[in-house]
Amino acid sequence: MPDMNARLTRSSWIARITFLEAIRQRFFAFLLVLSAAMVVSSVSFRFMDFGHSELKFVADFAFGGMFLFGSVLALVMTAQLFFAEIDNRTALTLLAKPLSRTEFLLGKFLGTWAVLGVFVFSLAFLQGVILWSRTQELIVLAAESGRVAPDFSVSGLAAFAVLQWFRLGVVAAMVLMVSAVARTFLFAVIVGAMAIVAGQLQWLAQEALLKPSDANALTKGLLWLSSRVIPNLQQFNIGDTLVLDPTAISGDAVWSVVLSGFFYLVAFLALASLAFRRREI
Amino acid sequence: MTTASAISVQGLTKDFRVGLRGLKLRAVDNLTLEIPRGQVFGLLGPNGCGKSTTLKIVLGLVPATTGTISILGSPSATAAARQRTGFLPEAPYFHKFLTGRELVEYCARLSGVPADKVTAAVEASLELAAMTEAANRPIGTYSKGMLQRIGLAQAIVHDPELVILDEPTAGVDPVGSAAIGRMIHAMRAKGKTIVLCSHLLGQVEQVCDRVAIMDRGRLVLEGRVDEVLAQRDRHVITVEALSPAARAAAEAALAAHGATVTSITHPRRSLEDLFRELVTGSRDA
């Protein structure tokens, strides 16, 4: 497999430089700091728990930050890192080398996904610290009042971080596919944002399909297509259950979400590669 | 296609679709060209004549509408063809946060230089491009001339047989330009084929063995520099200490043989030569 090794080596070098470029961006630092501030401040907002348990509110608040800013980061950074190569014409130099366009795209994706990994796992670690610290306080309070002490699952938090990383990977692959076709950064970001919204609402198409209705064949066809082509991004958002009630979700269910994410990720990258093959640089 | 050709272009046409109505803009029109191996070949023409498009098609960066191209016997646009080719784009731009050495190493890895030979290849190309001293500085601090030279280093790091240089001296001062000219000579001495795209006709004349001139997408002239520039019906005689009497006698002698003296002037050196002579030793580093 010397050819495959050479291909992976070339992609890994593209990924390495992409990662270095991304990690130096102020935009990344800004969103990371903003998200970290949201995670840390989640304890301060616990009085707004709307009747839920305190840990659930703290966890949901932080997950929301990770979800929102992670999505923005995956959307903007993927498109920006791709168009920087095209607009600055560094792609001219790189693609004139014995590097296939698929290797180039794979490298861009892997570099971006690695940065998203830094984002997700840093925030998950920080959230773990916050949850652990608050749990210790609640254990003392529970002992004093004779109530059951709350707890959270570290492995559940780790599983959630992995799921979020895959969700952002799917978003990045989707944006890369759009970028491979788009002529401008702005177009790629707008269409990418619409694709993320569609992914968040995909479950509606699935539910509509399951319900008996008198919709015509065209509507049913469109619903079926939407439920198959668009990834269901909501399926990754099971953080509170994984962290606070891990027994409610089986390991198989988590694995099926990971595999589904991996399938969409590979499919979007394959489509991006096809679209990019004949693009004029 | 001949096996002696570094690049063989047969019937190349490239149309771009422009506007919403998809109007056809023909950038290259039925171009047929053979670039022999081991020579410095100049591709000339005004802006928009199709030379950069031709180079991009040769490198597989832009698909051709019709026509076939091969590089060193392999179909162009394949990784195998690009393995033996180095390319310096016009006004090159590289990641500013990398140092020159990191960039050249990055390009060596992408070009398939074996891991145990990368260091030696990087050092050799930096030396040829006269960039060893500045190699550890971030690219963001480089001058235009240094950018061109580091661009040249990344193009040759994998020891390609064919080197394509698109405007390598654009924006570079005459000293830097002369240094790049020397690098081109050094590469030719190693048996490389060099394709040079430039607007600096003086430099092209100095370094190229053959030239092709394109206009509006078509090839209008191709041949050896000496052949295409020579005016076979005219001669130049350069003499020193020509007195008025000797001049009159020479004119009379030529007239006796049916020749007409059309002008007698003092030879001039080029401004570029004068500039280089005056600023010898300075570099743009």
Side-chain angles (χ1 to χ4, degrees):
Chain A
M1 301 280 280
D3 192 43
M4 185 53 79
N5 281 342
R7 284 171 184 274
L8 288 175
T9 302
R10 288 193 289 265
S11 287
S12 70
W13 273 91
I14 296 284
R16 188 183 297 199
I17 300 300
T18 303
F19 178 82
L20 284 176
E21 187 182 4
I23 214 91
R24 298 168 63 91
Q25 287 185 356
R26 285 182 189 161
F27 182 67
F28 169 73
F30 172 71
L31 283 186
L32 185 62
V33 169
L34 202 62
S35 307
M38 197 158 170
V39 170
V40 172
S41 65
S42 59
V43 180
S44 310
F45 291 103
R46 64 183 186 272
F47 62 89
M48 299 165 64
D49 60 12
F50 303 110
H52 291 105
S53 78
E54 185 181 323
L55 281 188
K56 177 171 168 48
F57 176 79
V58 170
D60 278 347
F61 196 83
F63 291 153
M66 203 187 289
F67 164 79
L68 178 67
F69 296 122
S71 298
V72 172
L73 186 66
L75 169 67
V76 176
M77 201 173 63
T78 306
Q80 196 275 329
L81 289 171
F82 177 83
F83 278 96
E85 298 274 20
I86 303 291
D87 295 342
N88 292 332
R89 305 192 313 131
T90 45
L92 266 183
T93 311
L94 299 178
L95 293 173
K97 302 202 175 299
L99 170 81
S100 76
R101 296 193 177 200
T102 302
E103 290 161 16
F104 174 78
L105 277 184
L106 183 63
K108 295 306 293 180
F109 170 76
L110 291 175
T112 310
W113 203 26
V115 178
L116 294 171
V118 170
F119 178 85
V120 166
F121 292 112
S122 305
L123 290 178
F125 176 77
L126 187 60
Q127 190 178 7
V129 171
I130 297 290
L131 283 172
W132 178 84
S133 155
R134 188 58 194 156
T135 304
Q136 299 310 305
E137 291 170 10
L138 290 175
I139 287 172
V140 173
L141 289 173
E144 287 171 356
S145 61
R147 283 182 295 161
V148 179
D151 199 6
F152 80 100
S153 164
V154 175
S155 60
L157 183 61
F160 170 71
V162 171
L163 287 183
Q164 280 304 300
W165 188 44
F166 267 85
R167 188 183 76 83
L168 295 182
V170 172
V171 170
M174 205 157 59
V175 174
L176 203 56
M177 182 188 72
V178 174
S179 301
V181 183
R183 290 281 138 200
T184 63
F185 166 75
L186 191 62
F187 180 85
V189 168
I190 291 170
V191 175
M194 287 162 68
I196 293 172
V197 172
Q200 288 300 132
L201 300 176
Q202 191 262 18
W203 64 275
L204 291 173
Q206 284 191 2
E207 286 208 342
L209 265 181
L210 293 173
K211 281 181 188 169
S213 76
D214 55 355
N216 61 34
L218 179 66
T219 307
K220 282 184 176 174
L222 283 173
L223 285 171
W224 181 86
L225 196 66
S226 304
S227 65
R228 293 294 180 275
V229 174
I230 301 169
N232 179 4
L233 296 179
Q234 280 285 11
Q235 67 180 332
F236 297 92
N237 296 337
I238 48 176
D240 53 346
T241 314
L242 276 173
V243 174
L244 301 174
D245 189 11
T247 53
I249 292 182
S250 70
D252 288 348
V254 174
W255 273 110
S256 79
V257 175
V258 169
L259 286 175
S260 158
F262 189 71
F263 166 78
Y264 275 106
L265 197 147
V266 172
F268 285 134
L269 286 180
L271 289 172
S273 173
L274 272 177
F276 193 50
R277 194 161 288 176
R278 291 203 40 99
R279 180 173 179 141
E280 291 172 354
I281 304 297
Chain B
M1 181 191 82
T2 60
T3 52
S5 296
I7 299 177
S8 174
V9 179
Q10 303 293 324
L12 174 67
T13 295
K14 176 63 188 176
D15 294 327
F16 287 108
R17 299 276 171 189
V18 292
L20 290 174
R21 293 169 60 195
L23 293 174
K24 230 170 36 175
L25 176 73
R26 181 150 292 183
V28 183
D29 190 0
N30 195 27
L31 177 71
T32 294
L33 189 63
E34 297 285 340
I35 299 180
R37 292 188 193 217
Q39 296 195 0
V40 182
F41 190 95
L43 189 56
L44 313 175
N47 288 335
C49 72
K51 34 182 213 302
S52 286
T53 303
T54 302
L55 293 186
K56 284 183 179 180
I57 295 171
V58 165
L59 289 161
L61 298 169
V62 171
T65 304
T66 58
T68 57
I69 304 156
S70 68
I71 297 178
L72 301 161
S74 303
S76 77
T78 60
R82 293 198 299 274
Q83 183 78 53
R84 299 156 74 189
T85 308
F87 176 53
L88 169 66
E90 182 183 359
Y93 183 95
F94 306 111
H95 297 292
K96 289 179 179 173
F97 58 88
L98 294 177
T99 65
R101 180 170 275 110
E102 285 168 344
L103 171 77
V104 179
E105 185 189 345
Y106 174 39
C107 291
R109 301 281 186 173
L110 293 182
S111 302
V113 177
D116 58 336
K117 292 180 180 163
V118 165
T119 306
V122 169
E123 294 308 322
S125 60
L126 286 171
E127 195 177 328
L128 182 73
M131 283 299 290
T132 306
E133 280 182 28
N136 292 325
R137 275 171 49 187
I139 289 171
T141 66
Y142 282 3
S143 67
K144 268 188 183 174
M146 295 168 84
L147 270 180
Q148 294 283 14
R149 296 212 304 271
I150 203 70
L152 194 62
Q154 65 77 29
I156 60 174
V157 68
H158 57 299
D159 196 24
E161 293 169 53
L162 168 66
V163 183
I164 297 175
L165 308 173
D166 194 359
E167 303 285 358
T169 50
V172 180
D173 67 40
V175 175
S177 185
I180 289 173
R182 284 194 297 274
M183 288 168 212
I184 293 171
H185 280 302
M187 287 190 283
R188 181 175 55 181
K190 289 183 175 178
K192 313 285 183 199
T193 305
I194 296 127
V195 177
L196 175 65
C197 211
S198 177
H199 284 121
L200 296 180
L201 303 183
Q203 187 183 40
V204 170
E205 190 182 334
Q206 281 178 8
V207 301
C208 290
D209 301 302
R210 297 182 75 86
V211 288
I213 299 176
M214 291 179 70
D215 188 28
R216 297 178 191 180
R218 293 178 180 221
L219 183 68
V220 292
L221 179 80
E222 195 274 327
R224 289 194 62 80
V225 173
D226 297 340
E227 288 169 5
V228 298
L229 294 182
Q231 292 177 297
R232 299 281 174 207
D233 57 339
R234 289 172 179 239
H235 301 268
V236 176
I237 301 170
T238 306
V239 292
E240 287 183 29
L242 182 66
S243 66
R247 175 178 168 169
E251 283 187 58
L254 289 168
H257 288 84
T260 307
V261 176
T262 53
S263 74
I264 296 179
T265 59
H266 294 288
R268 284 163 60 105
R269 56 182 156 180
S270 69
L271 186 59
E272 185 176 326
D273 286 342
L274 176 65
F275 181 91
R276 279 165 48 192
E277 192 182 307
L278 293 174
V279 296
T280 297
S282 77
R283 301 196 63 81
D284 63 334

